[in-house]
Amino acid sequence: MPNPPPPPRRVTIPDVARHAGVGQATAARVLGGYGSSSAATRERVLAAAAELGYSTNAVARSMISGRTHTLGVVVADVENAYFARAVRGVTDVAAKAGLHVVLANSDEKGETEKSAVQMFIERRVDGLVVAPAATDHEHLDKAVAAGIPVVLLDRALSGAGLDTVVVDNRGAAKAAVTRFTEAGHTRIAVVTSASPDENATQLAPGADIWTTTERLTGYRQALRAAGIPRGAELIRHTGYDRTWARSAVLELMSSPDRPTALFTTDNVATLGTLDALLDLDAHIPGDVSVIGFDDAEWATLVRPRLSVVSQPVQELGGLAADILVRRINGSTARPRRHTLPTAYVPRESTGPAPARVRPLRAPGE
Amino acid sequence: MPNPPPPPRRVTIPDVARHAGVGQATAARVLGGYGSSSAATRERVLAAAAELGYSTNAVARSMISGRTHTLGVVVADVENAYFARAVRGVTDVAAKAGLHVVLANSDEKGETEKSAVQMFIERRVDGLVVAPAATDHEHLDKAVAAGIPVVLLDRALSGAGLDTVVVDNRGAAKAAVTRFTEAGHTRIAVVTSASPDENATQLAPGADIWTTTERLTGYRQALRAAGIPRGAELIRHTGYDRTWARSAVLELMSSPDRPTALFTTDNVATLGTLDALLDLDAHIPGDVSVIGFDDAEWATLVRPRLSVVSQPVQELGGLAADILVRRINGSTARPRRHTLPTAYVPRESTGPAPARVRPLRAPGE
DNA sequence: CTGTTAGCGCATTCAC
DNA sequence: GTGAATGCGCTAACAG
């Protein structure tokens, strides 16, 4: 098994210096764009460089400067539209600051995230954006200890003392569900891909850091505020699977005292929920009102158009990168939480509670 | 304006060696996991390393090995679902091979792509995946000359002599449009975000490399094969903007001899087209049949469900990474084009040509 | 303004 | 099996 062959040797500064008939340091200065040099020598060096096809070795430069001009980004999954947009926000701001972005997917696995962070530390990234899947932060502390600023994205981590960029998930959810209660709904269900018991998983205590859990809390608060008894809570945990969400809603809506309003805490839950309602031939919002968390390009393509809670995803990523850039440039401001505003986008999937609850046709009938 | 402060000094191998009371080379051997060492010293070194909190400096290592264990990826826009999925495919395969992925967005600008590639060369990435926006390949040739293998993704570049991973856009489009002709449609339009005149833009000749142009060609071939005269071609170039696509289709469908079938060459065109048809209250497929290029999570959520041409996006990315890994490991196989299969996914938006063409209500009426 | 010299942290000879 | 010495390509003093 032959080892990966080493890459070909490339043209270096000494090569250029020789070719230009100048000292190594002189060539380095003009090629590196620092110090000073006469216009004459500069031209000769540049000519020699062009002739030999010289190109900077950023690795060698990084070794000295200690800066790699690289940001590490850990998200659950770039394929997820939310993270794709967030990553775009990060890269845009990063690019403007001359930083590259290295991407890692954690798939919501704490261990994967940790090893990714470890790799990033070893690779000496200049900063780290993490949408945490792990509930502890030792690995992030290590990064900070190594001089790498860390910004949390989308999810907070209590007690981590890190810059954090989030939205008020709880408040946004509460506001959304309050639309339901104000419209007279009392049977309000929530469909979420959140795990029913966070503590049963690898997650540590204090799992209220998770967005969907926060949204669930907001849902509960809205009900409570409306005087709807705790026993009337209708919660369906579906796992991160569209077909499961569909099944859950199918079952949920087959009950005689089925809900008249549905709040979905995430995109997958929303997709599965709409699948089910379509299968049931449910009239929206006549039979049931729906509000989804997170806007989507298709939200205006379904009929009725879907009312949603939207968040400024790209801005979240951009702000995270922005904070990193500032810290890289020496800012020592106390880490804080940045909460960006969400917006409720009313469209057509919400209406008053129906006077009487029509039984819904079972699917496949 | 203070310069970015240098990062703190980190624990190095000499530090560990001193602390463990061994020679530098010995410490390096056990920490680097090469050469041989006695179990006893190994333990002492490891203990010292743990105690001091040593962590490898991948930059220094790269400087010697010449390998950065990094892949550069240039796509138009990660926010685009297609590229997001492709990037995921790349990162998955890359991660398995111990490679990291650096991401750059070209926004379809050749210049942006070129500078990104240049940066990647300077940073000594081990391989490059590029979804080319530029029509020439000098910059890619430079990478190859520097010993960096390059794989083209999604779009071919004639004469570049590079590994290429694509689908048969022309054939897939032709097959899709042939469904229309076989169903008796003769007024078949295509909606595309492709530029009407490639040569008018920054693009060089031979712009038939572009996927949408290829799909357009497939459309034409299908019409010709069905004996539909060239003059009956109905092509709408809309630019990469959903609202423009909507307007174009609104106008298109207001004609008395409007088309009875619509083929959209890309996601944005599809979204805008459906916007328009929904606004027009068009009955699909009674009034007009629709086939879109590229599947989407919402394709089964609209009514009727949208028939599409789907391509194995993630696999495309995965294969690109796979080829790179092989080349990094020394493969010198002749570069070739890998064409992955597409699939026509019939759903509910396609039907026979209507007997008579019902006039469509203007929007806003 | 220019050239000489000394490292950055690690892998790698080569003697011991 | 171990340790001292050398160099990867570049930047940063420091003299000249």
Side-chain angles (χ1 to χ4, degrees), chain A residues 15-27:
Chain A
D15 294 332
V16 175
R18 248 189 312 277
H19 195 79
V22 301
Q24 186 181 134
T26 304

Side-chain angles (χ1 to χ4, degrees), chain B:
Chain B
M1 185 166 40
N3 257 35
R9 196 182 165 285
R10 307 261 263 273
V11 180
T12 68
I13 285 189
D15 295 332
V16 176
R18 248 188 313 277
H19 195 79
V22 300
Q24 189 181 130
T26 305
R29 271 188 285 262
V30 353
L31 293 174
Y34 58 91
S36 49
S37 45
S38 73
T41 50
R42 188 173 317 146
E43 246 176 275
R44 291 179 52 200
V45 171
L46 257 21
E51 207 163 325
L52 297 182
Y54 168 83
S55 120
T56 303
N57 184 332
V59 176
R61 183 173 287 177
S62 289
M63 169 130 123
I64 295 177
S65 67
R67 317 247 66 132
T68 53
H69 299 283
T70 299
L71 255 36
V73 176
V74 185
V75 296
D77 176 16
V78 248
E79 204 174 332
N80 178 315
Y82 176 90
F83 291 115
R85 295 184 59 195
V87 167
R88 184 53 148 117
V90 173
T91 53
D92 281 358
V93 171
K96 254 175 227 154
L99 299 169
H100 275 195
V101 168
V102 186
L103 188 65
N105 299 105
S106 73
D107 285 317
E108 301 289 8
K109 297 202 193 66
E111 283 315 309
T112 307
E113 171 189 324
K114 287 177 188 180
S115 74
V117 168
Q118 178 58 33
M119 297 298 288
F120 283 145
I121 294 175
E122 295 180 358
R123 296 169 80 103
R124 303 299 193 256
V125 297
D126 294 344
L128 224 32
V129 176
V130 179
T135 49
D136 63 304
H137 50 267
E138 287 173 54
H139 54 307
L140 302 177
D141 295 343
K142 266 194 243 174
V144 172
I148 302 175
V150 176
V151 175
L152 259 28
L153 178 69
D154 184 44
R155 308 156 183 188
L157 229 39
S158 57
L162 295 170
D163 283 303
T164 305
V165 180
V166 290
V167 297
D168 177 13
N169 286 290
R170 190 187 301 190
K174 182 181 178 188
V177 175
T178 297
R179 303 266 171 171
F180 285 149
T181 61
E182 287 180 349
H185 292 273
T186 53
R187 300 282 300 163
I188 304 169
V190 59
V191 184
T192 178
S193 62
S195 156
D197 178 14
E198 293 80 11
N199 302 323
T201 69
Q202 53 178 322
L203 309 182
D208 61 351
I209 56 169
W210 308 111
T211 56
T212 47
T213 308
E214 279 291 285
R215 293 170 195 167
L216 217 46
T217 303
Y219 158 83
R220 290 198 169 107
Q221 290 184 342
L223 292 202
R224 194 167 325 142
I228 297 174
R230 173 118 198 182
E233 282 178 6
L234 285 165
I235 303 177
R236 286 299 178 276
H237 298 273
T238 67
Y240 204 70
D241 183 311
R242 178 173 175 169
T243 62
W244 292 6
R246 174 178 168 277
S247 305
V249 173
L250 244 26
E251 177 271 326
L252 181 67
M253 299 303 285
S254 71
S255 160
D257 58 341
R258 61 166 176 78
T260 62
L262 293 173
F263 175 60
T264 58
T265 68
D266 53 276
N267 189 49
V268 166
T270 306
L271 288 168
T273 296
L274 293 183
D275 283 340
L277 295 182
L278 249 14
D279 283 350
L280 288 168
D281 243 343
H283 182 53
I284 305 173
D287 289 323
V288 58
S289 288
V290 181
I291 296 178
F293 210 105
D294 277 349
D295 207 349
E297 59 182 11
W298 50 263
T300 56
L301 221 50
V302 294
R303 287 298 176 271
R305 295 178 180 85
L306 185 68
S307 302
V308 301
V309 176
S310 89
Q311 47 177 328
V313 187
Q314 197 163 332
E315 286 78 359
L316 288 166
L319 178 54
D322 202 58
I323 293 170
L324 282 182
V325 169
R326 256 193 295 259
R327 293 229 176 266
I328 291 169
N329 287 331
S331 160
T332 56
R334 206 167 109 260
R336 56 178 285 253
R337 176 190 298 227
H338 301 254
T339 304
L340 265 44
T342 58
Y344 173 67
V345 183
R347 290 202 265 251
E348 305 162 354
S349 64
T350 43
R356 60 190 187 82
V357 174
R358 176 174 79 97
L360 293 178
R361 195 185 63 173
E365 251 179 77

Side-chain angles (χ1 to χ4, degrees), chain A residues 8-294:
Chain A
R9 197 181 165 286
R10 307 260 265 271
V11 180
T12 69
I13 285 188
D15 294 332
V16 175
R18 248 189 312 277
H19 195 79
V22 301
Q24 186 181 134
T26 304
R29 269 188 286 262
V30 351
L31 294 174
Y34 59 91
S36 47
S37 44
S38 72
T41 51
R42 187 174 317 146
E43 246 175 274
R44 291 179 53 200
V45 172
L46 256 22
E51 208 164 324
L52 298 182
Y54 169 84
S55 118
T56 304
N57 184 332
V59 176
R61 182 174 287 177
S62 288
M63 169 130 122
I64 296 178
S65 67
R67 317 247 67 134
T68 53
H69 299 283
T70 299
L71 255 37
V73 175
V74 186
V75 297
D77 176 16
V78 247
E79 204 174 330
N80 178 315
Y82 177 89
F83 291 116
R85 294 184 59 194
V87 167
R88 183 54 146 120
V90 173
T91 53
D92 280 359
V93 172
K96 253 175 227 152
L99 298 170
H100 276 195
V101 168
V102 186
L103 188 66
N105 300 106
S106 72
D107 285 317
E108 299 290 8
K109 296 201 193 64
E111 284 314 310
T112 307
E113 171 188 324
K114 287 176 188 180
S115 75
V117 168
Q118 178 57 34
M119 298 299 288
F120 283 145
I121 294 175
E122 295 181 358
R123 297 169 80 104
R124 303 300 195 257
V125 297
D126 293 344
L128 225 31
V129 176
V130 179
T135 50
D136 63 303
H137 51 266
E138 287 171 53
H139 54 306
L140 303 176
D141 296 342
K142 264 194 247 176
V144 172
I148 301 175
V150 176
V151 174
L152 260 27
L153 178 69
D154 184 43
R155 309 157 182 185
L157 228 39
S158 58
L162 295 171
D163 283 303
T164 304
V165 179
V166 289
V167 298
D168 178 11
N169 286 289
R170 190 187 301 193
K174 182 179 178 186
V177 174
T178 297
R179 303 266 171 170
F180 285 148
T181 62
E182 288 180 348
H185 293 274
T186 54
R187 301 282 298 163
I188 304 169
V190 61
V191 184
T192 178
S193 62
S195 155
D197 178 13
E198 294 80 9
N199 301 324
T201 68
Q202 53 176 326
L203 308 183
D208 62 349
I209 56 171
W210 307 113
T211 55
T212 48
T213 307
E214 278 292 285
R215 294 170 195 166
L216 217 45
T217 302
Y219 158 82
R220 290 199 169 106
Q221 290 184 342
L223 292 202
R224 193 167 325 142
I228 296 175
R230 173 120 196 180
E233 283 178 5
L234 285 165
I235 303 177
R236 287 298 178 277
H237 298 273
T238 68
Y240 204 69
D241 182 312
R242 177 171 174 172
T243 63
W244 291 7
R246 175 177 168 278
S247 305
V249 173
L250 246 24
E251 177 271 326
L252 181 67
M253 298 304 285
S254 72
S255 162
D257 59 341
R258 61 168 177 75
T260 62
L262 293 174
F263 174 59
T264 58
T265 67
D266 52 276
N267 188 48
V268 167
T270 306
L271 289 168
T273 296
L274 293 183
D275 284 339
L277 295 181
L278 248 16
D279 284 349
L280 288 167
D281 243 342
H283 182 54
I284 306 173
D287 290 323
V288 58
S289 287
V290 181
I291 297 177
F293 210 107
D294 277 349

